[in-house]
Amino acid sequence: MMLRYLAVAAVSAWSVVGMAAEVPLLTPDDVFTLALEHDPVYAAAVAEQAAGSQAYRIRRASVRPSLSANAGVARVDRRIESEFFTGGSGGAFEENYDEYNYGVSLTQPLFRWDLLSQLDIGRVEVVAAEVALKRTRQELMGRLARAYVEVLGANDGLQTAQSRREAVQRQLDQVRDQVDVGAVAITGLREAEAEFDLSEAEVIDAQLRVDDAVDQLARIIGTAAFELAPVQSVEPLQEATSRPLADWLIAAQERNTNVVAARLRAEVARLDIRTNESSRLPQLDLTASYGRNDTSESMIGQDAEEGRIGLNLTVPIFTGGANVARLDAARATYLQRSEELRAARELAESEVRTAWRTVRASKRRIAARERAMRSTRTALRAVRDGYEVGTRTLSDVLAAEQSALRAIQEFNAARHDYVVAVVDLKLAAGTVTDADIPKIDAVFTGNETGNVK
């Protein structure tokens, strides 16, 4: 029975979560699709990008014609003390009447260099919003990869703890039988009972880790009723180890989304300098208006219409030093953004180097863990054979079983770590895309799928 479990677990430990008898088997492709529909972090980023995509339209409105209309009506009660209106009687002239007015006005900027600079800023802000959404989508893939393998790893740990408890239970039963016939002292029984209690506590802790891992993934995909496909082979991700470090570093400088975002922020700061420099330039606007004011119900009223068209020229002369201060602040901000860009590039390079080393180390670790798993399995068979002929004790068998189980768990953990390391490397280089999902899926299913659109 133990050897059968080892043979199955050597492929990978199946992650069984949820209490339902029938739960869907999810692959990374399925999980990513669910996350796109449910994850609140990604949903918020989509909304933020939708808002940011309007930046150019908002700024473009400032260079387009502005047309407005106005209308009004008022009841006027007038009392005038005047010799002219009262014929020298010294009284007051009073009247009540309705006043009506309406009009339209048009303004068209003709020369506003600051507004043209704002247009360029709007274009950059739209691109920045798209980059931010892309970064969030990439980070979602990283979060899912970690959460997915955390569930698998936690369930491996639970299976190992449960197997150890069963083995210790068998040992405890044997010690009890030996105590009954006087072959073992009562202290041996107490030691066996203590070992069983420890194994029971380990199962409880392992179950807690499974529950926590399931909850973490459920917060992203919106359901805790699932079964996860286990690792079959990491071969579909071999490209990550075959590409030289130099290629990853070049990609990071060009495509790392943090670097791209920092570059865009620096560009906005540069354009802001140009905008503030234009505050010293003249501003020319075309204005046109039409209006009507009707007070004809009044004794001294009128019904007047007026149309006007002209040019308004504004020449800044002195603004109390505000324009100069804003320009100095813009230059300082550009310097800040430039240093932030340099820091982002250096950080991206450091992240790529770390992730690349981790990927290569993880690959070697997989090979080492696989050899250890085979060795412990062979040792287990030898110990079992020795137990059958009386040269080994049950304690030896139990210890060998535990070593074999730990080797399987560590082998699976090494493969899980490799998957996460590859995703981290692609994330650091900025090259992770939805096109990587089928390759990751193949690691757990053996076939490249691709449901994500």
Side-chain angles (χ1 to χ4, degrees):
M1 183 67 181
M2 186 63 196
L3 290 177
R4 181 182 177 187
Y5 169 75
L6 291 175
V8 174
V11 177
S12 183
W14 285 82
S15 174
V16 180
V17 293
M19 300 302 295
E22 294 294 335
V23 292
L25 177 65
L26 301 182
T27 68
D29 196 349
D30 302 321
V31 168
F32 189 58
T33 301
L34 290 173
L36 292 178
E37 298 172 354
H38 178 268
D39 182 54
V41 176
Y42 180 72
V46 171
E48 183 178 9
Q49 187 274 333
S53 66
Q54 304 302 315
Y56 176 74
R57 293 179 58 192
I58 293 172
R59 296 182 184 276
R60 184 181 60 183
S62 62
V63 300
R64 287 184 163 186
S66 175
L67 180 65
S68 62
N70 63 83
V73 60
R75 178 66 177 175
V76 180
D77 295 328
R78 174 177 292 177
R79 184 175 185 276
I80 303 175
E81 294 183 356
S82 170
E83 295 290 335
F84 175 78
F85 286 105
T86 60
S89 65
F93 170 74
E94 296 183 6
E95 65 173 346
N96 302 313
Y97 63 93
D98 294 327
E99 178 182 359
Y100 306 91
N101 64 82
Y102 59 87
V104 293
S105 61
L106 171 70
T107 301
Q108 171 63 62
L110 297 181
F111 180 78
R112 293 289 296 272
W113 193 254
D114 58 332
L115 299 183
L116 295 178
S117 297
Q118 290 291 329
L119 270 182
D120 292 336
I121 291 177
R123 293 188 183 95
V124 176
E125 289 175 337
V126 170
V127 177
E130 295 172 352
V131 171
L133 178 60
K134 180 180 179 181
R135 179 69 183 183
T136 302
R137 194 178 181 98
Q138 291 179 342
E139 290 175 343
L140 175 61
M141 295 176 65
R143 289 191 291 126
L144 280 176
R146 287 181 175 80
Y148 191 104
V149 300
E150 280 291 332
V151 174
L152 293 180
N155 200 68
D156 281 349
L158 176 60
Q159 289 185 351
T160 300
Q162 289 173 337
S163 298
R164 181 176 184 276
R165 181 181 60 182
E166 293 172 2
V168 173
Q169 179 68 64
R170 294 198 306 271
Q171 184 181 36
L172 176 60
D173 293 340
Q174 185 185 55
V175 171
R176 283 173 176 165
D177 294 339
Q178 292 173 342
V179 169
D180 291 339
V181 298
V184 175
I186 192 64
T187 55
L189 176 61
R190 297 294 178 259
E191 292 175 354
E193 290 174 340
E195 187 70 18
F196 178 79
D197 292 337
L198 290 174
S199 67
E200 184 71 23
E202 291 174 356
V203 170
I204 295 173
D205 293 339
Q207 182 63 60
L208 180 60
R209 285 191 291 272
V210 169
D211 295 340
D212 290 342
V214 170
D215 286 345
Q216 182 179 357
L217 182 56
R219 285 197 299 270
I220 303 176
I221 67 176
T223 178
F226 54 76
E227 181 178 336
L228 299 182
V231 174
Q232 301 292 335
S233 171
V234 296
E235 291 302 319
L237 299 179
Q238 289 305 305
E239 178 191 3
T241 56
S242 61
R243 291 180 60 186
L245 175 60
D247 290 351
W248 293 106
L249 293 174
I250 293 173
Q253 295 303 312
E254 297 175 353
R255 300 178 60 180
N256 181 283
T257 47
N258 285 333
V259 173
V260 175
R263 188 181 299 123
L264 292 173
R265 288 193 295 270
E267 178 63 12
V268 169
R270 186 188 68 81
L271 293 172
D272 194 45
I273 292 177
R274 193 176 73 178
T275 300
N276 284 280
E277 287 176 341
S278 66
S279 63
R280 303 172 177 178
L281 300 177
Q283 300 174 357
L284 182 63
D285 296 330
L286 170 67
T287 61
S289 64
Y290 167 80
R292 180 178 179 182
N293 183 261
D294 182 3
T295 58
S296 57
E297 294 183 11
S298 171
M299 182 179 295
I300 58 174
Q302 61 180 352
D303 188 355
E305 294 183 68
E306 180 183 77
R308 182 187 297 262
I309 186 170
L311 297 174
N312 287 339
L313 177 65
T314 303
V315 180
I317 297 176
F318 181 69
T319 58
N323 288 343
V324 175
R326 280 193 288 266
L327 181 58
D328 290 342
R331 288 170 175 162
T333 299
Y334 176 68
L335 179 59
Q336 174 190 350
R337 297 291 183 254
S338 299
E339 292 301 315
E340 290 174 351
L341 173 58
R342 184 165 66 93
R345 286 172 171 166
E346 293 176 354
L347 178 60
E349 180 176 329
S350 175
E351 290 176 344
V352 165
R353 290 182 184 277
T354 300
W356 187 76
R357 288 193 295 266
T358 302
V359 167
R360 294 175 67 84
S362 297
K363 183 63 176 177
R364 294 194 300 270
R365 190 180 299 114
I366 290 175
R369 294 301 185 188
E370 186 174 14
R371 291 192 299 268
M373 182 180 63
R374 292 172 180 171
S375 298
T376 55
R377 190 185 307 166
T378 302
L380 175 60
R381 284 196 293 264
V383 172
R384 280 185 171 274
D385 291 341
Y387 179 73
E388 294 294 332
V389 299
T391 59
R392 290 298 186 102
T393 65
L394 179 60
S395 297
D396 295 333
V397 174
L398 295 177
E401 288 178 350
Q402 292 307 304
S403 296
L405 288 172
R406 282 195 299 270
I408 295 171
Q409 183 181 357
E410 290 167 354
F411 172 63
N412 287 332
R415 296 194 294 177
H416 298 162
D417 292 342
Y418 178 77
V419 174
V420 173
V422 170
V423 174
D424 285 343
L425 177 58
K426 287 180 170 288
L427 181 60
T431 61
V432 61
T433 65
D434 291 359
D436 292 306
I437 294 295
K439 295 179 181 179
I440 298 175
D441 216 55
V443 171
F444 297 87
T445 65
N447 299 301
E448 287 196 15
T449 55
N451 300 327
V452 179
K453 303 299 183 184

